[in-house]
């Protein structure tokens, strides 16, 4: 019998070329169904425009068991300027997930980046602001009660540099940063008591200072009685962070004993605004796959009860937020599948870690 893990990890072949250098000739490797080999749900972010895309839907059916709405479950989409709600797009995603027997994950109830005009107009009236805050969470989290398995209740509360927490319309309207977070979790628990309730943030593996601030926030909120029942790390990975850094953070995160969600995985090959990256593409892919492999292995090392789900922020490279608008140079490959639905090297890195 062939050892699947060894087979998936097989190295690329080298062939001679005219320059005297070795050219990379990938060995054909099987593409196992991720959801069939992973002992936990495999998730992907989606938008309604992708639901009728046959290549996308076939990949989802084969490899994924959970969906997260990319932005159509966010306040930016749902809440209108007059305080009314629209649910057409998130309802379509919920129906698709139900029809395809996929778990549905809710993203996100409260996010600093979406300071909605409806709430901005109420910041001088704390009682009204609080009532509308509660109404929004109750309406949205309650709409898919029993279907949504978890919610990103508060998203990205820690500042960009990790030195503190973000002051925003929510903290201003409710009298403090901890106050708005605590209230959001209390209201989410009332509206969706069966769902796992997550505090979600990014750059936690990439920036140890930010990771430490996040961990202190979790500890403080739990001591204050916040019903946080899950921890979300987005995992938009910097491919150049030191080896081992992801593993260290995942171990620290696991100390709370709560379910952990790798909630928005991607790994850009671009320089992200720094000096031009002149390294060969092959070298950057090697760094990318090493970081993804480390993340997948660190997640696999968690106790089973803490493995909530492993989610990528999109399915194919062309679905990625990193490939939208002027960000798309056609070269970045941050996700598991290429534009045609073929498995990228980072797919095999994850599959090798998940294989029994």
């Amino acid at each position: 019998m062939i050892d699947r893990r060894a087979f998936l990890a097989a190295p690329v072949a080298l062939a001679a070329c005219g320059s005297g250098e070795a050219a990379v000739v990938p060995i054909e490797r099987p593409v196992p169904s991720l959801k069939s080999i992973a002992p936990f749900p495999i998730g992907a972010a989606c938008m309604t425009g992708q639901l009728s895309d046959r290549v996308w839907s076939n990949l989802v059916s084969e490899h994924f068991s959970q969906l997260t709405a990319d932005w159509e479950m966010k306040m930016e989409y749902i809440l209108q300027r007059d305080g009314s709600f629209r649910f057409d797009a998130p309802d379509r995603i919920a129906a698709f997930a139900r029809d395809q027997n996929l778990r549905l994950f809710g993203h996100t109830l409260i996010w600093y980046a979406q300071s909605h005009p409806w709430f901005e107009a109420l910041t001088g009236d704390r009682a009204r602001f609080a009532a509308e805050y509660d109404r929004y969470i109750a309406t949205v989290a309650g709409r898919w009660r029993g279907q949504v398995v978890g919610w990103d209740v508060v998203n990205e509360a820690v500042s960009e540099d990790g030195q503190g927490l973000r002051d925003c319309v929510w903290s201003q309207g409710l009298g403090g940063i901890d106050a708005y977070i605590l209230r959001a979790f209390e209201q989410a628990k009332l509206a969706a008591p069966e769902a796992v309730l997550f505090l979600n943030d990014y750059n936690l593996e990439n920036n140890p200072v930010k990771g430490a601030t996040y961990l202190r926030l979790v500890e403080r909120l739990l001591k204050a009685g916040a019903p946080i029942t899950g921890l979300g790390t987005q995992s938009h990975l910097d491919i150049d962070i030191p080896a081992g850094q992801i593993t260290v953070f995942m171990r620290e995160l696991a100390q709370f004993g709560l379910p952990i969600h790798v909630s928005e995985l991607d790994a850009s090959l671009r320089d992200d605004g720094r000096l031009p990256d002149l390294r060969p593409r092959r070298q950057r892919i090697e760094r990318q796959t090493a970081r993804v492999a480390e993340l997948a292995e660190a997640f696999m090392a968690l106790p089973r009860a803490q493995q909530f789900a492993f989610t990528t922020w999109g399915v194919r490279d062309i679905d990625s937020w990193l490939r939208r608008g002027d960000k798309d140079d056609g070269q970045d490959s941050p996700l598991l599948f290429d534009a045609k639905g073929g498995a990228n090297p980072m797919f095999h890195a994850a599959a090798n870690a998940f294989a029994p």
Side-chain angles (χ1 to χ4, degrees):
M1 178 181 292
I2 296 175
D3 184 332
R4 176 184 282 178
R5 290 181 66 89
F7 193 58
L8 286 170
V12 296
L14 300 177
C17 57
S19 64
E21 296 181 356
V24 178
V25 180
I27 292 175
E28 287 296 324
R29 291 180 285 181
V31 181
S33 165
L34 281 185
K35 70 179 183 181
S36 70
I37 62 174
F40 40 75
I42 300 294
C46 72
M47 295 187 292
T48 52
Q50 295 158 346
L51 303 183
S52 58
D53 182 322
R54 183 171 297 179
V55 174
W56 181 91
S57 60
N58 286 343
L59 287 170
V60 168
S61 177
E62 177 68 18
H63 295 283
F64 297 92
S65 49
Q66 178 176 294
L67 288 181
T68 301
D70 181 312
W71 73 277
E72 290 161 317
M73 245 181 223
K74 291 188 173 87
M75 186 181 291
E76 177 185 16
Y77 184 89
I78 290 175
L79 186 62
Q80 306 306 289
R81 295 187 69 89
D82 63 356
S84 62
F85 299 84
R86 67 168 175 172
F87 289 112
D88 55 325
D91 278 346
R92 282 188 61 199
I93 293 172
F96 180 89
R98 186 169 51 249
D99 292 345
Q100 299 298 318
N101 196 31
L102 300 166
R103 298 196 335 166
L104 182 63
F105 187 80
H107 175 81
T108 179
L109 293 173
I110 300 297
W111 186 24
Y112 85 93
Q114 295 187 348
S115 53
H116 199 281
W118 177 252
F119 283 98
E120 290 171 353
L122 301 175
T123 53
D125 185 345
R126 184 167 296 178
R128 179 80 187 283
F129 190 102
E132 287 299 298
Y133 190 82
D134 295 351
R135 180 179 75 100
Y136 179 82
I137 294 173
T139 302
V140 176
R143 186 172 184 87
W144 302 284
R145 177 174 174 175
Q147 182 181 8
V148 168
V149 295
W151 274 102
D152 285 332
V153 177
V154 174
N155 194 45
E156 300 177 1
V158 182
S159 63
E160 179 73 22
D161 62 7
Q163 296 292 338
L165 304 181
R166 299 182 192 273
D167 190 21
C168 56
V169 67
W170 314 117
S171 56
Q172 295 160 13
L174 292 170
I177 296 173
D178 285 14
Y180 93 80
I181 300 174
L182 181 60
R183 190 181 190 105
F185 277 93
E186 291 171 343
Q187 295 302 312
K189 183 178 180 180
L190 291 173
E194 307 92 347
V196 183
L197 305 179
F198 287 83
L199 182 68
N200 192 50
D201 220 311
Y202 71 101
N203 275 356
L204 303 180
E205 305 96 339
N206 299 336
N207 181 353
V209 173
K210 186 167 186 176
T213 300
Y214 173 87
L215 295 172
R216 289 194 298 270
L217 174 62
V218 171
E219 184 176 24
R220 186 169 70 249
L221 290 169
L222 289 174
K223 287 182 178 179
I228 297 172
T229 51
L231 304 176
T233 178
Q234 293 182 15
S235 300
H236 297 291
L237 296 181
D238 181 343
I239 65 173
D240 289 319
I241 62 175
Q245 191 163 298
I246 295 169
T247 302
V248 169
F249 177 75
M250 194 65 74
R251 288 173 181 166
E252 292 173 342
L253 194 61
Q255 292 176 8
F256 293 100
L258 296 174
I260 293 171
H261 187 192
V262 169
S263 58
E264 303 182 20
L265 170 63
D266 52 33
S268 178
L269 297 175
R270 291 204 307 258
D271 64 7
D272 196 26
R274 298 186 291 269
L275 293 174
D277 193 335
L278 302 179
R279 293 174 297 179
R281 182 177 178 88
R282 172 179 174 173
Q283 184 177 345
R284 284 178 282 142
I285 289 175
E286 287 173 349
R287 297 284 296 181
Q288 178 198 59
T289 54
R291 298 291 74 75
V292 171
E294 183 182 344
L295 177 69
E297 289 164 3
F299 194 77
M300 279 288 288
L302 294 172
R304 180 65 191 91
Q306 290 188 261
Q307 296 168 330
F308 178 81
F310 192 93
T311 293
T312 60
W313 206 241
V315 175
R316 303 163 299 184
D317 293 334
I318 56 172
D319 303 322
S320 174
W321 66 284
L322 295 164
R323 294 280 303 267
R324 293 176 193 161
D326 59 4
K327 294 180 177 180
D328 185 12
D329 60 3
Q331 300 300 310
D332 203 5
S333 183
L335 290 170
L336 299 184
F337 298 95
D338 64 25
K340 297 181 179 179
N344 282 328
M346 63 184 277
F347 171 93
H348 294 288
N352 186 49
F354 297 159

